[in-house]
């Protein structure tokens, strides 16, 4: 009782304590106080028990009323959300009484009673209002999106945000295209100084209902008369609230000079804090990056996680080709991500023109924004002057790259004969995001079969003596007529001209080469035919033979582009052809295959439909020798080859059936038990 008494005197002044309670509603503290007097301390314990009972009763009643009222008043929230308290919610007033079910998404109407005229009065550059931050309309639209699972970390929400109306005009058509794909819930939040009505914003930008954009009015109160600092703070607060209710998988803004500085500053602070990728589109985005509208939220969430390294194995006497390749790399567009790290393997004897070119070669290219002058170029120069053997060459090459995170780092292998189009990097990023990270790819584990993504369509089979005719897709033009259309396809044969190898498969190739060389060293010659026979022409480097064996034993495939797309990505020249060093002596005079050339044009126009990437299920599938097949056929041929491989290795009889389950260590192929 002493404690309660002291607390009472903390809350009420002596005067208040002495006053009668007539003017106050009876609450627990005054109620207790009314019974507290110096004499009450000496009362019998029975009266104390009674008092406590009364207190407990009152408390219980309060608790009951509180609990009873919760569901009606507070939105249901994710309990795992780390830091979010009621104080924060107060900025979002007024909340609607109940979360609405998600309709076919009407935008939140601004409550502003001011009619907006057709020609807006010029927006004041900067006001001075700096009051407490309130979002009048944001609560309503955020409460209405609970069906999108926005309170959970994993969902399908994509957020576009803009402050400047010009930036909104850049973003809305992109958001509209993405919305119509129906692969993600596309949200658009306006954090503007402008008081434009949303209806007008939609009308001006031609946003129809078919765009399926969910609008959020994230403008702070008194936005038009606010100081820039207040608007900047409001941006970070708005993102905080949006994050709590939406957990967007990616945030897309206009990073160009059209956008307000206070907005971009707020975004660049707050979005990385939310651990969400931020895509800042630049002025060319509508044409160059239009493929991002085809991606789903899962792909976009991996936007800044993937990294691509480039690996070039140069040979002596081929300066012209190498310089042509490096120039094409430097001229390419890397606006869809960071510039890849570039590693060039130089031979023992570096040609003078190459050395001279490399002296001034800038990587990242000078055209790329690089404020810290970071260098991303590694030159490796071989010591040994004697020619490489097949074995040495394979080891040296496969050692040149190692993925730090195999799920996210990949390597683009380039032959010095290749020349790339300025758009190749867009295609690579688009394909990696779609074929490795999209919801469909993750659910169906597409990447488990995918060895690589080729930019080039080879003109011959791997033995370089037979022309390769790419498969076509039959497309029904009308009821009676069908026509053949060029299509991307899956081929068990790998390549080395211009191919991205996925991180996981590179790791496996590394282990395969390591074990194959170990086996060769231990085996007394002659080697079993399966190791000694070469299926691949000596025009290709020796490590490719290992990649083919791995593909044959596992049923892996490489994705090849259709003919029109290939012409848009890369060309492999033959006029300055130089054999790989390990085969130089064998390959002086070979007939040159016919050469393709790069066709200029937007990337998406060469892709089927409106620029979509085909699903793996919709592509023709070829065995390594070009025979059309299906998944069952591929698996059967892989099982046969693996069995033959194990027979040649010998010693697999002692392995338990469990040890023969394919695994990344490739121990099952080389008859070694993994620990
Ligand atoms: C080259 O490979 C193709 C396809 O595997 C095959 O049909 C052809 O017989 C091979 N040519 C030679 C000379 O081995």
């Amino acid at each position: 009782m002493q404690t309660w008494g002291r607390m009472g005197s903390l809350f009420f002044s002596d005067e208040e304590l002495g006053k009668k309670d007539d003017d106050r509603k009876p609450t627990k503290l005054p109620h207790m106080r009314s019974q507290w007097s110096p004499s009450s301390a000496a009362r019998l314990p029975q009266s104390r028990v009674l008092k406590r009972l009364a207190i407990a009763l009152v408390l219980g009643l309060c608790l009951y009323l509180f609990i009873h009222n919760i569901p009606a008043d507070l939105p249901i929230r994710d309990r795992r959300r780390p830091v979010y308290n009621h104080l924060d919610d107060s900025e979002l007033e007024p909340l609607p009484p109940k979360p609405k079910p998600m309709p076919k998404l009407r935008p939140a109407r601004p409550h502003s009673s001011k009619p907006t005229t057709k020609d807006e009065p010029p927006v004041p550059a900067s006001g001075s209002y700096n009051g407490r931050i309130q979002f009048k309309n944001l609560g309503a639209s955020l409460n209405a999106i609970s069906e999108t699972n926005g309170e959970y970390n994993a969902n399908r929400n994509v957020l576009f945000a803009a402050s400047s109306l010009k930036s909104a005009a850049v973003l809305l058509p992109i958001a509209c295209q993405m919305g119509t794909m129906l692969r993600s819930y596309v949200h658009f939040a306006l954090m503007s100084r402008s008081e434009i009505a949303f209806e007008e914003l939609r009308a001006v930008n031609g946003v129809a209902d078919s765009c399926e954009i969910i609008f959020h009015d994230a403008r702070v109160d008194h936005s038009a008369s606010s100081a820039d600092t207040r608007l900047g703070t409001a941006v970070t607060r708005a993102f905080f609230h949006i994050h709590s209710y939406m957990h967007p998988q990616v945030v897309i803004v206009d990073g160009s000079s059209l956008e307000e500085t206070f907005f971009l500053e707020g975004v660049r602070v707050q979005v990385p804090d939310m651990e969400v990728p931020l895509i800042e589109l630049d002025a060319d985005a509508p044409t160059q990056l239009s493929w991002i509208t085809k991606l789903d939220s899962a792909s976009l969430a991996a936007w800044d996680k993937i990294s691509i390294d480039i690996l070039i194995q140069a040979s002596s006497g081929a300066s012209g080709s190498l310089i042509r390749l490096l120039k094409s790399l430097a001229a390419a567009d890397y606006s869809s991500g960071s510039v890849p790290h570039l590693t060039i393997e130089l031979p023992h004897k570096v040609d003078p023109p190459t050395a001279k070119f490399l002296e001034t070669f800038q990587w990242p290219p000078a055209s790329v924004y690089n404020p810290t002058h970071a260098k991303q170029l590694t030159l490796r120069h071989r010591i040994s002057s004697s020619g490489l053997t097949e074995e040495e060459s394979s080891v040296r090459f496969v050692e040149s790259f190692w993925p730090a995170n195999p799920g996210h780092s990949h390597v683009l292998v380039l032959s010095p004969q290749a020349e790339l189009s300025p758009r190749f990097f867009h295609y690579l990023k688009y394909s990696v995001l779609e074929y490795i990270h999209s919801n469909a790819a993750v659910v169906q584990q597409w990447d488990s079969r995918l060895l690589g993504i080729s930019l080039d369509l080879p003109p011959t089979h791997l033995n370089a003596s037979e022309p390769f005719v790419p498969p076509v897709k039959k497309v029904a033009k009308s009821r009676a007529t069908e026509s053949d259309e060029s299509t991307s396809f899956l081929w068990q044969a790998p390549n080395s001209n211009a191919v991205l190898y996925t991180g996981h498969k590179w790791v496996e190739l590394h282990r395969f080469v390591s074990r194959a060389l170990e086996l060769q060293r231990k085996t007394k010659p002659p080697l079993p035919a399966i190791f000694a026979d070469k299926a691949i022409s000596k025009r290709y480097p020796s490590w490719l033979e290992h990649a083919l064996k791995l593909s044959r034993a596992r049923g892996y495939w490489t994705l090849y582009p259709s003919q029109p797309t290939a012409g848009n990505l890369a060309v492999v020249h033959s006029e300055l052809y130089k054999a790989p060093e390990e085969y130089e002596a064998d390959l002086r005079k070979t007939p040159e295959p016919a050469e393709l050339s790069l066709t200029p044009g937007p990337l998406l126009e060469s892709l089927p439909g409106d620029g979509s990437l085909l699903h793996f299920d919709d592509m023709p599938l070829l065995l390594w020798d070009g025979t059309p097949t299906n998944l069952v056929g591929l698996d059967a041929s892989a099982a046969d080859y693996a069995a033959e491989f194990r027979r040649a290795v010998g010693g697999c009889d002692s392995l338990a059936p469990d040890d023969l389950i394919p695994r990344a260590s490739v121990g099952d192929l080389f008859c070694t038990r993994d620990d």
Side-chain angles (χ1 to χ4, degrees), residues 79-326:
R79 275 191 232 123
R80 295 166 309 156
R81 195 176 302 145
V83 200
Y84 199 64
N85 54 46
H86 298 253
L87 270 182
D88 295 313
D89 249 351
S90 69
E91 289 174 357
L92 286 183
E93 281 163 350
L95 293 180
K98 270 182 200 166
K100 288 180 209 142
M102 215 167 70
K104 257 303 144 211
L105 306 157
R106 296 274 134 216
R109 296 261 177 89
H111 289 196
S112 152
S113 53
K114 255 194 274 171
T116 37
T117 47
K118 266 277 167 281
D119 32 347
E120 283 275 301
V123 178
S126 178
S128 55
Y129 182 74
N130 217 352
R132 187 167 164 270
I133 285 174
Q134 283 276 306
F135 297 101
K136 295 287 182 211
N137 306 319
L138 185 55
S141 60
L142 286 183
N143 268 288
I145 62 165
S146 56
E147 265 177 48
T148 67
N149 277 339
E151 67 258 47
Y152 299 103
N153 278 323
N155 57 50
R156 301 173 76 169
N157 289 324
V158 171
L159 174 65
F160 288 80
S163 178
S164 143
L165 295 186
K166 285 181 188 154
S167 295
V170 171
L171 293 181
L172 279 170
I174 300 175
C176 180
Q177 273 185 39
M178 193 183 287
T180 50
M181 298 299 293
L182 294 175
R183 295 187 83 179
S184 328
Y185 292 111
V186 175
H187 302 262
F188 182 90
L190 187 66
M191 306 182 182
S192 181
R193 188 199 300 282
S194 156
E195 285 176 338
I196 186 173
F198 266 48
E199 304 225 306
E200 194 181 339
L201 181 74
R202 286 160 55 99
V204 166
N205 292 291
V207 177
D209 284 347
S210 60
C211 289
E212 304 288 352
I213 301 176
I214 306 164
F215 281 90
H216 299 273
D217 185 353
R219 287 177 287 192
V220 70
D221 59 329
H222 302 290
S223 57
S225 56
S226 289
D228 272 3
T229 47
R230 180 171 189 266
L231 292 173
T233 313
V235 167
T236 58
R237 296 306 300 159
F239 269 107
F240 175 82
H241 296 303
I242 289 173
H243 185 54
S244 308
Y245 284 83
M246 191 191 292
H247 284 89
Q249 305 299 294
V250 62
V251 174
I252 303 173
V253 301
D254 172 18
S256 78
S257 55
L258 291 179
E259 191 50 284
E260 304 271 10
T261 317
F262 69 79
F263 173 78
L264 286 179
E265 279 170 0
V267 165
R268 286 173 188 151
V269 170
Q270 189 66 18
V271 175
D273 240 32
M274 290 157 33
E275 295 181 6
V276 172
L278 172 66
I279 304 181
E280 292 188 33
L281 301 179
D282 67 8
D284 296 334
T287 47
Q288 295 300 343
L289 281 181
S290 53
W291 48 268
I292 69 168
T293 63
K294 315 279 179 206
L295 292 169
D296 70 2
S297 54
S299 292
L300 291 169
W303 183 266
D304 57 359
K305 294 182 183 68
I306 62 173
S307 82
I308 294 174
D309 278 37
I310 296 178
L311 188 52
I312 301 172
Q313 198 173 23
S315 39
S316 351
S319 272
S321 318
L322 180 65
I323 291 170
R324 180 178 53 200
L325 170 63
L326 293 178

Side-chain angles (χ1 to χ4, degrees), residues 461-466 535 624-626:
H461 278 275
L462 283 175
N463 57 20
S465 52
E466 200 86 4
W624 74 280
D625 60 2

